[in-house]
Amino acid sequence: MSELSPNHIQFDQTVFQKIFDKINTLIFLIDTSGKVLKSNFYAKKMVNIKSLLPKKDWEKVERVIQSGLIETDPHIEIETELIIDSDKTWHSCRIGCLERCAEDEAVFFIAFNSIQAQKLREESLINAKERAESQEKIKSSFIANMSHEIRTPMNSIIGFSDLIGRTDNQEEQSQYLEIIKSSGRFLLNIINDVIDISQIESGFLHIKAQRVNINYLINELADIYRSDARLDKQNVEIITMMPLEDKKALILTDKTRIRQILSNLLDNAVKFTKKGNIEFGYKLIKKKENEGFPLIRFHVKDTGIGIPEPEQELIFDRFHQVREGDQSIGSGLGLAIVKALVEKLGGSLSLVSKNGIGSEFSFIIPYLQPNTQEPDTRESMMRGAIPDLKGRHILIAEDIDENYKLVSSALKKSSVKLTWAKNGKEAVEAVIRDEHFDLVLMDLSMPIMDGYKATEHIKALQPKLPIIALTAHVVDGDMEKAFEAGCDDYIKKPLDILSFYRKLNFHLNM
Ligand code: ADP
């Protein structure tokens, strides 16, 4: 240890050498040719300074060297990415002339300080700002698009409702009614799409593994689309492809989502095909042993107008539509949802299309079979005819008059006996009064006692009495809550009359 106090230290060359070595900076002394004359402890491994710097920054150093021979104190400060052991790290770099030795000789210093941490912080701030700006842009264009999409059908609904009251001509009235109905359906599709997009974005969309008979599903969809009013039945044929026998066609996947994906693709195929055919179905992709699960490839193929090559990537973006007139027949959200759903199911969506010839959308998911092979009785029992419910008694728990009226009108021709409870408490009391009910239709959000509580009470009293939740709550968690409370099934509002009849048929074992 030195005997001198700090005040007595002689600042000679040794002391400066020590500082030079201890300082956490790379320091080089170089001559006019760029050769390293001396470097400090941190820099000593790096003998070729030129190779440390990107070319454009080395050129700046060279300019300082040139002017060092003419000017008195040339120096610059730059930010550069040093390449050390093939890693790039950001440094601030100061270069200056230390001493002129002769007319064409001088010594220069170059000092590098790491600013990597600062640069990373800056980068992440810039990224966050860009993300926020693009989110903001997406949000604004989303709101602008939505407002347009919603206004269009609303305009028809309000306009034609007004006109319907001003005419006595029955033909005109039924024509206006058709427009109101189809605008209502269009509006509902948009609302469902928006809910799906927001669920996907918030990570709230959960996939459930259910037993699905894909042959039944495809037959059901084929029936629906063959009778779709938009299909040009004279010129377009719907063909199905189901190579597996029913027993083997029972797979584990999310039924609602598979159905939604195929329906969205079929909607588009029907919209954009004016002649030829629409073929949809699946194919099993067998794998060799040890190559993992077999896979199943679903497809929807049409001979429609096709999609031009440059548009084929873009159509999966929200609101992207190929042609000017497309917005009058869709919202441009369908394929964005389909793509996200397919990815959620563990697959990926592909498109092969030729402008003017047709398109084929396909996706592959794992072929997983449930352990038991019982047939999917639920599926086979679902029929859509108006049920004959003579002698049956249904309890409806519903607080809103119009909703009760809709259900009772839908059941008018079924000869069923109905009892109306205006909240959960009244429903429980009706069951306690021991009225004999065959089924309960339960609205979930009601005053005094909600449908979840009422279901729990009724199931405690009569566990075998089937309860169907009748609800506008379409978010996944609400359905699960309803099942936890004891509901046996659910029907979404607004009521789809055909599926309402199917569910009644099924639960009343018709
Ligand atoms: P949209 O509700 O408008 O149909 P989508 O996201 O489902 O929204 O589709 C986006 C666009 O992709 C459509 O507007 C249409 O231009 C094009 N498209 C989708 N499917 C087909 C198809 N089968 N044939 C031709 N064009 C299609």
Side-chain angles (χ1 to χ4, degrees):
M1 206 201 272
S2 167
E3 287 173 11
L4 289 171
S5 74
N7 291 338
H8 294 106
I9 291 180
Q10 296 286 311
F11 286 100
D12 59 12
Q13 217 183 335
T14 351
V15 176
F16 280 110
Q17 181 64 45
K18 277 188 184 162
I19 299 170
F20 188 58
D21 278 339
K22 289 209 158 66
I23 196 160
N24 190 8
T25 299
L26 304 168
I27 304 175
F28 300 89
L29 300 183
I30 58 170
D31 68 12
T32 40
S33 70
K35 195 174 122 204
V36 175
L37 303 170
K38 202 167 170 41
S39 57
N40 70 342
F41 178 76
Y42 282 96
K44 77 173 174 227
K45 277 197 311 191
M46 303 157 207
V47 282
N48 185 355
I49 185 131
K50 197 173 161 183
S51 68
L52 286 179
L53 288 163
K55 191 163 174 275
K56 65 175 182 10
D57 289 338
W58 177 250
E59 284 165 5
K60 290 179 192 159
V61 173
E62 276 184 322
R63 280 201 288 279
V64 177
I65 294 176
Q66 294 308 319
S67 41
L69 299 174
I70 338 161
E71 291 170 25
T72 35
D73 183 20
H75 63 267
I76 53 162
E77 273 201 59
I78 55 169
E79 287 186 350
T80 182
E81 261 183 309
L82 283 197
I83 310 152
I84 304 170
D85 297 334
S86 67
D87 276 344
K88 285 184 171 178
T89 42
W90 278 99
H91 282 76
S92 80
C93 165
R94 187 178 165 84
I95 310 125
C97 183
L98 195 67
E99 201 154 314
R100 185 104 57 90
C101 317
E103 195 151 302
D104 55 356
E105 267 312 321
V107 177
F108 298 85
F109 71 89
I110 306 189
F112 296 98
N113 268 311
S114 171
I115 51 165
Q116 181 68 3
Q118 178 192 329
K119 275 281 172 192
L120 289 178
R121 267 198 305 277
E122 268 173 30
E123 243 168 61
S124 78
L125 280 175
I126 290 169
N127 286 344
K129 180 173 167 272
E130 280 170 1
R131 261 202 317 276
E133 280 169 358
S134 95
Q135 286 296 325
E136 194 50 42
K137 249 195 223 150
I138 291 173
K139 209 172 94 188
S140 319
S141 76
F142 186 77
I143 290 170
N145 274 304
M146 275 340 296
S147 141
H148 170 77
E149 294 303 329
I150 290 171
R151 265 165 216 278
T152 313
M154 276 312 281
N155 202 22
S156 302
I157 292 173
I158 293 169
F160 284 102
S161 306
D162 190 15
L163 285 181
I164 223 165
R166 292 171 194 271
T167 176
D168 292 330
N169 182 322
Q170 274 206 350
E171 203 178 309
E172 272 177 5
Q173 281 181 340
S174 61
Q175 195 186 341
Y176 296 162
L177 204 62
E178 265 318 305
I179 299 174
I180 294 170
K181 270 203 293 194
S182 85
S183 302
R185 275 197 296 271
F186 188 75
L187 200 57
L188 183 62
N189 282 343
I190 293 173
I191 293 166
N192 285 337
D193 281 354
V194 172
I195 290 174
D196 281 335
I197 286 268
S198 78
Q199 279 191 314
I200 289 164
E201 277 187 357
S202 61
F204 199 59
L205 187 119
H206 302 298
I207 296 297
K208 295 172 215 143
Q210 297 160 310
R211 292 152 45 88
V212 186
N213 192 309
I214 48 176
N215 283 359
Y216 297 155
L217 177 65
I218 285 172
N219 273 329
E220 196 183 320
L221 287 172
D223 283 349
I224 292 172
Y225 282 91
R226 280 186 187 124
S227 56
D228 192 309
R230 295 165 302 173
L231 183 76
D232 185 345
K233 294 173 192 70
Q234 300 299 316
N235 297 310
V236 184
E237 192 188 355
I238 292 194
I239 305 165
T240 54
M241 180 168 147
M242 299 175 285
L244 293 177
E245 57 177 283
D246 284 356
K247 227 162 121 188
K248 296 241 165 78
L250 193 63
I251 66 165
L252 271 184
T253 188
D254 190 313
K255 184 178 170 192
T256 317
R257 300 307 174 187
I258 280 279
R259 192 191 160 95
Q260 189 179 0
I261 293 167
L262 290 171
S263 301
N264 262 318
L265 296 176
L266 284 166
D267 276 341
N268 282 342
V270 168
K271 276 191 284 192
F272 297 109
T273 308
K274 295 292 159 249
K275 64 173 193 299
N277 57 58
I278 297 167
E279 186 206 284
F280 79 109
Y282 63 85
K283 197 165 91 185
L284 193 63
I285 305 175
K286 283 209 185 101
K287 291 218 169 173
K288 288 194 198 115
E289 243 178 90
N290 304 330
E291 270 188 4
F293 288 119
L295 299 167
I296 194 155
R297 177 184 181 273
F298 287 89
H299 69 275
V300 177
K301 189 175 172 187
D302 65 58
T303 55
I305 54 176
I307 300 157
E309 184 116 30
E311 300 283 338
Q312 291 183 11
E313 285 241 331
L314 303 174
I315 53 165
F316 297 104
D317 291 345
R318 288 187 206 164
F319 298 115
H320 191 89
Q321 294 175 315
V322 178
R323 289 151 291 259
E324 278 273 301
D326 288 354
Q327 65 265 31
S328 60
I329 44 178
S331 65
L333 289 173
L335 287 177
I337 295 171
V338 166
K339 185 167 178 276
L341 289 179
V342 167
E343 282 164 11
K344 273 269 179 191
L345 291 179
S348 66
L349 186 65
S350 310
L351 165 65
V352 180
S353 183
K354 261 213 157 110
N355 203 16
I357 309 271
S359 313
E360 178 174 5
F361 289 86
S362 63
F363 60 96
I364 293 175
I365 57 166
Y367 172 69
L368 299 171
Q369 281 213 282
N371 288 335
T372 51
Q373 286 291 318
E374 325 137 27
D376 200 342
T377 45
R378 263 175 178 255
E379 299 273 352
S380 48
M381 285 185 69
M382 281 189 188
R383 280 174 278 130
I386 297 180
D388 177 7
L389 300 177
K390 206 165 179 193
R392 304 292 182 129
H393 192 177
I394 293 179
L395 172 65
I396 306 181
E398 171 64 70
D399 59 321
I400 297 173
D401 292 12
E402 285 75 13
N403 289 346
Y404 172 73
K405 255 181 228 152
L406 181 63
V407 174
S408 58
S409 312
L411 291 175
K412 211 173 188 171
K413 291 193 182 148
S414 72
S415 320
V416 73
K417 183 178 170 200
L418 292 178
T419 295
W420 183 12
K422 293 195 171 182
N423 58 56
K425 189 163 166 271
E426 283 186 18
V428 178
E429 283 165 0
V431 175
I432 292 173
R433 276 199 307 273
D434 202 24
E435 293 195 42
H436 175 76
F437 294 109
D438 297 293
L439 185 124
V440 183
L441 292 171
M442 179 70 77
D443 182 31
L444 291 179
S445 52
M446 286 183 291
I448 305 176
M449 184 190 283
D450 66 23
Y452 303 106
K453 273 252 146 57
T455 300
E456 278 172 19
H457 284 304
I458 294 174
K459 278 286 172 181
L461 293 163
Q462 288 195 34
K464 286 200 176 144
L465 177 60
I467 301 182
I468 302 182
L470 195 61
T471 176
H473 290 236
V474 286
V475 178
D476 279 1
D478 293 315
M479 298 297 54
E480 273 149 23
K481 236 172 96 189
F483 285 121
E484 270 166 33
C487 289
D488 300 275
D489 206 340
Y490 69 90
I491 296 174
K492 280 186 205 166
K493 287 181 193 169
L495 207 61
D496 174 62
I497 304 288
L498 212 64
S499 61
F500 177 53
Y501 290 159
R502 281 196 186 115
K503 299 234 168 176
L504 291 185
N505 266 327
F506 172 68
H507 286 284
L508 294 170
N509 262 339
M510 305 298 294

